[in-house]
Amino acid sequence: MSPELPRRATGAAAIGPAPDLPAWRGTRPRKAWRYVGIYGRELMLCAGLVRIGPAPQAFWAVWDRRDRVLRERTRFAGGGVALPDGALRVRAAGVEIDLRLEADGEPVAVSSAHGRREIWTRKQPVRAVGTVRLDGRALPLDERGLVDDSAGHHARETAWRWAAGVGRTPDGRALTWNLVDGIHDDPTTSERTVWVDGVPARRRPVRFSEALDGVAFREGGRLAFDAEAVRERHDRLGPLTSDYVQPFGTATGSLGDGIELAQGFGVMERHEARW
């Protein structure tokens, strides 16, 4: 493991492939995932591809805020979800998603120690443009969100709380946030970031409420979150377990350091895993 951990890079220094982490470190398999979340006034959606050693997982979800319908699916196999660089595509019964993803801010990459091993993540604000088809109904989409690329040899037991979303200040500046406790959360060199018009600013450690209805900042202020629809899974696959709750919803309040949020859209998450 590199003695220089943790380290953080932004902009051009954060662009490029994940570190060359081997498939195994002793008995610890490499975990890797790409998650794309798009958070809008009428539609919120996410899609992900996960691999734990040789075991794949694919998932997607669409929260239709107009009709108040949550559609979702998780498969422990490939197929149905494609997340190449710059695109998000989903094919499932009654759901087709075709989106082009464009950078909407400077990426931030962080490498950290987790247990005795190295883990890495990169967060990239994006704008998604394209079409979501629900039961044959075509819905144009032009909204913002976040891409999470992560990889590493995480500790056997891992737990985190996470929040991501987009919105605007009262005077119209674009906001994106990525807040975490439990992973890549060094007091000074973490992935905690708030982007204002695409420019990233670090945040000191944050405190999540037990009910996942808020995040308090050491810089002052609190983000309030109102859940609308909840993704929740409890998986037991031999020695692997995963328990998570991830609500879609709206946000108001502050993002710390005097940054006020008029209204925002995003997710909160609590995840506990043994892998």
Side-chain angles (χ1 to χ4, degrees):
M1 183 170 66
S2 170
E4 302 173 355
L5 301 179
R7 59 179 179 268
R8 173 179 164 120
T10 61
I15 297 173
D20 185 17
L21 301 173
W24 295 85
R25 289 278 193 191
T27 60
R28 307 302 301 132
R30 181 180 61 219
K31 277 77 71 176
W33 63 86
R34 171 169 285 186
Y35 165 96
V36 181
I38 307 300
Y39 314 119
R41 185 174 299 276
E42 295 186 353
L43 288 176
M44 286 191 263
L45 61 91
C46 67
L49 293 172
V50 181
R51 185 168 289 274
I52 303 173
Q57 183 193 77
F59 64 85
W60 60 265
V62 179
W63 168 231
D64 184 340
R65 299 188 70 232
R66 294 184 304 179
D67 291 346
R68 316 304 286 181
V69 175
L70 176 67
R71 298 169 171 85
E72 63 174 314
R73 185 174 183 182
T74 298
R75 297 183 61 189
F76 292 93
V81 176
L83 299 175
D85 290 344
L88 185 162
R89 295 189 292 271
V90 171
R91 296 290 184 273
V95 176
E96 294 185 14
I97 304 174
D98 289 282
L99 301 177
R100 183 178 74 256
L101 306 179
E102 304 171 350
D104 192 49
E106 296 183 19
V108 172
V110 176
S111 293
S112 305
H114 200 248
R116 296 178 295 169
R117 305 300 184 190
E118 180 176 351
I119 59 174
W120 167 89
T121 191
R122 179 174 56 227
K123 302 302 196 289
Q124 170 69 69
V126 293
R127 177 172 292 278
V129 179
T131 303
V132 177
R133 291 179 174 82
L134 302 178
D135 299 324
R137 178 169 53 114
L139 304 172
L141 185 141
D142 184 352
E143 299 289 358
R144 296 184 296 120
L146 193 72
V147 176
D148 170 5
D149 287 306
S150 295
H153 299 91
H154 299 70
R156 178 77 176 94
E157 295 187 0
T158 303
W160 67 73
R161 297 179 188 183
W162 180 66
V166 302
R168 292 194 178 274
T169 63
D171 60 1
R173 289 175 292 167
L175 299 173
T176 305
W177 61 90
N178 175 77
L179 307 169
V180 73
D181 177 39
I183 191 169
H184 295 295
D185 62 351
D186 182 83
T188 60
T189 309
S190 83
E191 66 170 89
R192 293 182 302 271
T193 305
V194 173
W195 289 262
V196 182
D197 283 339
V199 178
R202 304 181 192 215
R203 287 295 182 265
R204 290 185 289 170
V206 295
R207 186 176 70 254
F208 285 75
S209 66
E210 287 296 323
L212 293 181
D213 61 0
V215 184
F217 294 82
R218 288 195 183 178
E219 292 86 352
R222 181 180 184 273
L223 179 73
F225 185 81
D226 183 15
E228 296 180 339
V230 181
R231 298 177 56 233
E232 182 172 358
R233 285 191 66 89
H234 305 280
D235 294 314
R236 303 290 184 270
L237 301 172
L240 305 179
T241 67
S242 175
D243 296 280
Y244 75 78
V245 176
Q246 188 190 78
F248 291 102
T250 59
T252 55
S254 171
L255 290 166
D257 204 22
I259 302 299
E260 295 300 317
L261 175 67
Q263 186 178 35
F265 307 92
V267 294
M268 300 277 272
E269 181 178 273
R270 180 171 54 244
H271 192 171
E272 298 178 359
R274 297 183 71 247
W275 47 15

